[in-house]
Amino acid sequence: MTSPFSLAGKVALVTGSTRGIGLAIAKAFVAAGARVVISSEDSRDTARVAAELGQPGIACDVTDDVALAALVDNALAALGGLDILVCNAGVTGRAGPFASINMADFDRVMGLNLRSQVVLANLALPHIAARGGGAAILMASISALRGNGAINAYALSKAGVAQLARNLAVEWGPRNVRVNAIAPGFIATELSRTLLEDEAFMAHRMAMTPLRRPGTPEEIAGAAQFLASDAGAFVTGQTLVVDGGTVITDGS
């Protein structure tokens, strides 16, 4: 009997898939039987990871609409179709309150984190529907779910991503395309190393997390595999929180 978590025979495109969460998702999908297009804006990283995983690699700056169209076209040419889209590429931007926000940075964060997902979804979802249906997974954040005095444009963009997943789920559900978002909590990656080494921050943050530890990229990848596979076949328009319980606790 085939596992409901199998992705055998499926074709996936994962942006930002050369490190961290995106790389973990790509590896999990390959292990589950999928062919995966590896993509990041760095052509060398893209080629290196693609070679390591034995998958096609296509470099792409997701803020460039022409490059996004070429990404989808080249993915289709390389693997013959598309069943799964994972919009993982993103940037944190400058920390601080909205009162002192740099609007150029605001535009950069919103363009990369939110606008690019709108454009890529519009390019990719028709092809997923043409194959009989499939899944799209958008990367949100728990910062989209609560207030924060220091995470400005990033949190706003991720709230937009969660709403985008809901809207696209309504729009594409009749064509058997499911769209969901994942909202990770604090995840141990190379990008979070500075915070992981900050004892005061970690003590405070882990006291706010019932599981008392950061998550791993592989744990986010497991959630993505669930949403992409038949195991999640009746789940759409949701934001799946994977945060060790951070957003449900009062810190006690």
Side-chain angles (χ1 to χ4, degrees):
M1 181 178 176
T2 303
S3 166
F5 293 93
S6 172
L7 297 177
K10 302 297 184 182
V11 175
L13 168 59
V14 183
T15 65
S17 49
T18 59
R19 61 183 178 179
I21 290 172
L23 176 57
I25 290 172
K27 287 181 175 179
F29 282 11
V30 170
R35 296 298 311 279
V36 179
V37 175
I38 305 301
S39 184
S40 81
E41 66 176 349
D42 188 306
S43 57
R44 278 203 231 172
D45 283 349
T46 300
R48 173 181 55 81
V49 173
E52 289 173 358
L53 298 183
Q55 305 296 318
I58 303 169
C60 177
D61 175 357
V62 298
T63 64
D64 183 335
D65 292 4
V66 173
L68 284 173
L71 173 63
V72 172
D73 288 344
N74 289 331
L76 295 170
L79 295 178
L82 189 61
D83 304 291
I84 301 162
L85 171 67
V86 180
C87 295
N88 173 70
V91 65
T92 55
R94 300 181 189 177
F98 277 104
S100 60
I101 196 167
N102 178 290
M103 290 308 295
D105 186 65
F106 175 90
D107 290 342
R108 181 177 72 96
V109 171
M110 296 298 287
L112 205 160
N113 291 2
L114 181 57
R115 186 185 186 281
S116 72
Q117 296 199 23
V118 174
V119 175
L120 185 52
N122 283 338
L123 290 165
L125 296 191
H127 296 287
I128 295 176
R131 295 256 286 189
I137 299 162
L138 314 182
M139 200 57 62
S141 164
I142 62 169
S143 67
L145 307 176
R146 58 185 190 172
N148 189 300
I151 304 176
N152 45 53
Y154 178 80
L156 186 59
S157 70
K158 294 301 186 177
V161 168
Q163 183 61 39
L164 177 62
R166 289 187 284 268
N167 279 25
L168 291 176
V170 171
E171 184 175 344
W172 288 94
R175 297 187 65 184
N176 197 35
V177 179
R178 298 180 294 105
V179 185
N180 292 285
I182 296 176
F186 184 70
I187 307 299
T189 66
E190 184 65 27
L191 290 177
S192 63
R193 175 181 289 184
T194 300
L195 294 175
L196 289 165
E197 295 173 349
D198 184 332
E199 292 184 8
F201 170 84
M202 289 301 293
H204 174 69
R205 186 57 184 267
M206 293 305 100
M208 296 168 57
T209 302
L211 291 186
R212 298 294 193 265
R213 65 172 178 85
T216 68
E218 291 73 22
E219 287 166 329
I220 305 302
Q225 184 177 340
F226 162 70
L227 292 173
S229 70
D230 286 346
F234 203 52
V235 181
T236 195
Q238 303 303 307
T239 298
L240 178 58
V241 178
V242 187
D243 71 341
T246 301
V247 300
I248 58 88
T249 183
D250 62 359
S252 61

